[in-house]
Amino acid sequence: MKTMISSRSMGLKGSFRVPGDKSISHRSIMLGSLAEGVTEVSGFLEAEDALATLKSFQSMGVNIEQLGEGRVRIHGVGLHGLKKPESDLYVGNSGTSMRLLSGILAGQSFDSVLTGDSSLTKRPMRRVLDPLSLMAAKVESSDGGTSPLKISGKQALVGINYVMPMGSAQVKSCLLLAGLYAQGTTSVTEPAVTRDHTEQMLRGFGYDVTTDGNVASIVGGGHLKATSIDVPADISSAAFFLVAASITPNSDITLQHVGINPTRTGVIDILLAMGANIQLLNERVVGGEKVADIRVKSNQLQGIEVPENLVALAIDEFPVLFVAAAYANGTTVVTGAEELRVKESDRIQTMAEGLQSLGVDAQATDDGMIIKGGSVLGGEIESFDDHRIAMAFAVAGLQSNGEIKINNCENVSTSFPKFVELASNCGFELHAQ
Ligand code: S3P
């Protein structure tokens, strides 16, 4: 899919399920492979990013069966059963694969190399390499601290106490996974609460992880026991529809079986503070994760100052939240979100530029954006190869004065392969070319 063209919709309707959670899908493959026994996964996200993780473990000798419709069976090989891959491990666009895998690979008895696509090759890896080297791992990057990463095996890792300089679940997870192989305790302190799927899922695989305030700790040398995993729908994919239905008059949609882990629900809290009409229905716990059906009806949004404590809990949802702000009455101010600059694109820059080209008063700041809401014009947008930028502007087109054409949409398939189909079914005027 090269381009998407989005134009005015008269209202969104329907009840449907968006694809599986990307973070949980990655971890289901990683932990299932390192466990002893057979792990059955349902609701797995069959999109490029999670499949990159799946293929990496297959090339390290793990038998992983893809049974169709999100069902995956992993024949775990235990913490020490991975085999040296025959070639470099290519993880495409996926920062999660690269950062979490680097922690696992640091603990292996073989050497390995991690590579990615042109976007991933620009993203900072020192944030994992520096603490890994404190654990006595040997990982080399380019001079600029980017991939390819050359990881030497046979290193005796030692546990560390690490205070992370940034809120990043990928860094935390990398170190906890390396900690499985380290002697003693590995403790990671985070400056802001980030998603805790690694901690929760390790516990689900019978491995003790302690959490004390903002410190997560693990002791090396145990083993993981296979389990079954029901991956809920991804709140980060649901977010596009939460904003879409909020800004499009005459909308009433229900998103089924969405993961509402409290470390992921910042987008709901921010939209509620902006006046969105969102209800959580049938709240339940499935396989250790909180899940709900989310009903959203259109309502005029108001600009707000986004509380900084919600930023890490909504970090992937800012592209579409900036679109919500563009349609809100008044001004929205986002601060403390400098991490957006090192995502699949610099999401502060790409969103500010895109919104400005649609006539929106959006001003990028070092760590966020100031957006004066009002009307949005039609125009042509670059996605900068970033799936969430592309989908955010597809949402922007629902009420713009003139159609929005978005270029370079191939990467939508990294997280949401059937986006155009699902969006069109519920009432988007969205066409792919
Ligand atoms: C993720 C953590 C976040 C998020 C990414 C997925 C994870 O990245 O943006 O999409 O699965 O751990 P950071 O850790 O870089 O914030």
Side-chain angles (χ1 to χ4, degrees), residues 21-24 26-27 96 99-100 123 127 167-173 194-195 197-198 236 264 312 315-316 339 342-344 347 387-388:
D21 189 277
K22 187 150 73 76
S23 294
I24 298 178
H26 280 296
R27 289 160 172 82
T96 307
R99 297 206 178 102
L100 273 59
R123 296 180 66 187
R127 52 181 57 204
S168 164
Q170 293 180 354
V171 176
K172 172 177 64 173
S173 302
T194 65
R195 66 193 68 194
H197 301 299
T198 301
S236 298
R264 296 286 299 281
I315 196 69
D316 289 340
E339 276 294 301
V342 291
K343 295 295 176 190
E344 286 85 325
R347 287 181 174 163
H387 54 139
R388 298 202 203 280

